[in-house]
Amino acid sequence: MISAPSYSDIITRTNRQAAEWLLEIDERREKYLQNDFTFLGATACEGLPRAAAPGHPTERRGLQLMDRRNAENWIITIEMVEGMLSQRKLTFLRLRREAEKQRHSGERGRPGWVCWVSWVLAENHGIEMSDRALKEWWTEIVELAARLAIYRGCF
């Protein structure tokens, strides 16, 4: 018998997806803007069916439109979250994204981004913060994004 996921699993999953969108928003926005609606055009031959794709071309186009709409909802949600943050938290979020691109992360112990972001905040912006405060800020931003995404229907 398969058991239903617990509420903590659902919250963890939503927070993880919100964190991914927060960190990868620039790349995903660029991909969204480059994506056009050429897939809606009729073609004489759709090619051979693929096992991973729906068999009917209309279904496939409908799913592509749904994915595009979901990406649009997420982009708007992340922009709304950014609009709600203070200037200090926006600076923190920008540095957190840079740290993620540089792959400042460890497998165990303190995440690598914490040390780097803390150092850059202190060195370049004159903001001294503890590791705990940085992690709390990140958790607050992720939870805000997740709750707003739920409200906006991104899940």
Side-chain angles (χ1 to χ4, degrees), residues 12-74:
T12 301
R13 194 173 332 122
T14 57
N15 286 355
R16 186 175 299 126
Q17 188 171 359
E20 288 173 6
W21 271 95
L22 279 165
L23 292 174
E24 300 170 2
I25 188 64
D26 295 330
E27 294 84 7
R28 291 183 183 203
R29 184 185 294 122
E30 187 67 31
K31 181 180 176 186
Y32 172 81
L33 292 174
Q34 288 177 352
N35 193 3
D36 55 5
F37 288 99
T38 57
F39 61 86
L40 289 176
T43 59
C45 177
E46 286 288 324
L48 294 175
R50 295 181 303 258
H56 198 275
T58 305
E59 289 176 18
R60 186 168 39 254
R61 289 183 182 117
L63 289 173
Q64 288 172 330
L65 273 175
M66 193 171 73
D67 288 344
R68 183 175 170 82
R69 179 68 182 149
N70 189 39
E72 180 180 334
N73 274 341
W74 269 107

Side-chain angles (χ1 to χ4, degrees), residues 135-153:
K135 290 177 187 176
E136 286 176 4
W137 271 18
W138 177 242
T139 302
E140 286 175 21
I141 294 170
V142 168
E143 288 178 353
L144 174 64
R147 302 312 157 244
L148 193 56
I150 290 170
Y151 179 76
R152 290 190 38 78

Side-chain angles (χ1 to χ4, degrees), residues 5 7 18 41 44 47 71 97 112 114 133 138 151:
Y7 288 119
R97 288 174 179 157
V114 174
W138 177 242
Y151 179 76

Side-chain angles (χ1 to χ4, degrees), residues 22-23 26 82 85 87-102 116-117 120-121 124-125 138 141:
L22 279 165
L23 292 174
D26 295 330
E82 290 172 344
L85 298 177
Q87 192 60 40
R88 290 176 69 175
K89 286 189 178 181
L90 276 174
T91 302
F92 163 76
L93 183 58
R94 182 180 53 79
L95 292 174
R96 175 68 177 92
R97 288 174 179 157
E98 287 178 25
E100 187 67 21
K101 288 177 186 173
Q102 297 173 8
W116 187 82
V117 170
V120 173
L121 279 173
N124 297 344
H125 302 282
W138 177 242
I141 294 170

